[in-house]
Amino acid sequence: MMGGNHALSGALVWLAAAPVLGQERLLGEAAVNLTPKQLLAGAVVTAGAALLPDIDHHNGRIANTFGPVTRVFCKYVGKISGGHRQATHSIFFAVLMGFAMWALATYAIYGWWAALFVIIGFGLRGIGFDFEGKEPQSSILDCVLAGLAVYLMHDLDMSFAGYAVALGCLAHIAGDCLTPRGCPVFWPLRARIGLPLIPRTDGKVERWVIAPVLTVGVVILTMRSVLGDLGVEILTGSNTG
Ligand SMILES: [Zn+2]
């Protein structure tokens, strides 16, 4: 699946899941009621995290995000995880990443900012934000934009980071499951799960079905959130007036 579609699928899953995340009846103390700013930040984090499972690919698009640093990192992740589309394409990895990012955001804010910088860098590269293979210009652009995004989010309560990252990874895995190779969703079990609806990366199905469906979904859910917030403001405004 194309990076841009992975990122879109992440944002879509986040926007769809947001109302559920606020339900205390369902999640108890782990429920988070998101402000509009948090909802937007979460969409950015989830879109970036939706590229994360591909850190097992040393020659993939996101391996080049920060030049040799990420190339070497991805090479080792690939070795440890058993190659491309192995351990990092599983529920285990999604939950592990979600938990790790929640812990960073809650107990080690500088660590979280560093992780956020990397996640957003991956996201930008994934959606094709680079100068067509030109390095180091592309890496510098990634650094500047990711740094700016981290700055914009630095004083936001990001206790929802774990949910965003886990959901992003799961969205990526679901997308890859639609390709012929499938994913070992229940790793360490070896069975690969797949429903090959997308026969070829960047083929007709991806361009003319998947991409438009994801885009329309993100637009509809964004509108729903914005209109929902406006409704709340109008209601509370009329109450106080
Ligand atoms: Zn993948």
Side-chain angles (χ1 to χ4, degrees):
M1 209 164 155
M2 299 286 293
N5 284 341
H6 276 309
L8 271 176
S9 74
L12 183 71
V13 168
W14 172 254
L15 292 168
V20 182
L21 297 179
Q23 293 203 5
E24 271 178 40
R25 215 159 24 105
L26 219 66
L27 297 166
E29 283 195 5
V32 279
N33 266 314
L34 300 163
T35 64
K37 258 189 183 174
Q38 286 176 315
L39 186 73
L40 179 68
V44 173
V45 174
T46 317
L51 276 305
L52 212 48
D54 278 350
I55 52 171
D56 63 356
H57 196 352
H58 71 280
N59 213 4
R61 201 181 173 86
I62 65 166
N64 290 313
T65 306
F66 301 123
V69 180
T70 35
R71 266 200 299 279
V72 171
F73 173 73
C74 290
K75 191 174 144 194
Y76 280 99
V77 171
K79 271 191 182 163
I80 295 165
S81 65
H84 183 43
R85 278 211 201 177
Q86 298 296 340
T88 62
H89 287 64
S90 67
I91 293 173
F92 174 82
F93 177 79
V95 172
L96 182 75
M97 281 296 120
F99 190 75
M101 294 306 145
W102 166 80
L104 281 181
T106 311
Y107 300 110
I109 196 67
Y110 291 104
W112 163 242
W113 289 345
L116 183 61
F117 178 80
V118 175
I119 288 170
I120 290 174
F122 284 164
L124 288 168
R125 191 55 75 103
I127 58 175
F129 227 87
D130 61 352
F131 304 112
E132 302 221 350
K134 278 211 178 104
E135 301 295 344
Q137 293 93 321
S138 297
S139 297
I140 293 168
L141 177 70
D142 274 340
C143 283
V144 171
L145 291 176
L148 183 69
V150 172
Y151 173 74
L152 288 174
M153 292 187 216
H154 80 279
D155 58 357
L156 198 63
D157 169 13
M158 289 205 129
S159 46
F160 60 85
Y163 287 132
V165 171
L167 287 171
C169 293
L170 288 175
H172 178 108
I173 295 159
D176 277 356
C177 280
L178 298 179
T179 64
R181 236 182 119 194
C183 297
V185 176
F186 300 106
W187 188 91
L189 297 180
R190 282 169 162 257
R192 301 187 79 87
I193 312 291
L195 181 69
L197 296 176
I198 306 174
R200 211 161 58 83
T201 300
D202 202 18
K204 279 188 187 140
V205 179
E206 245 205 286
R207 279 177 178 235
W208 300 109
V209 182
I210 303 288
V213 166
L214 289 173
T215 309
V216 169
V218 168
V219 171
I220 290 175
L221 290 182
T222 306
M223 299 272 284
R224 188 193 67 177
S225 325
V226 172
L227 291 178
D229 291 330
L230 271 180
V232 169
E233 263 171 40
I234 290 165
L235 279 177
T236 47
S238 66
N239 280 345
T240 50

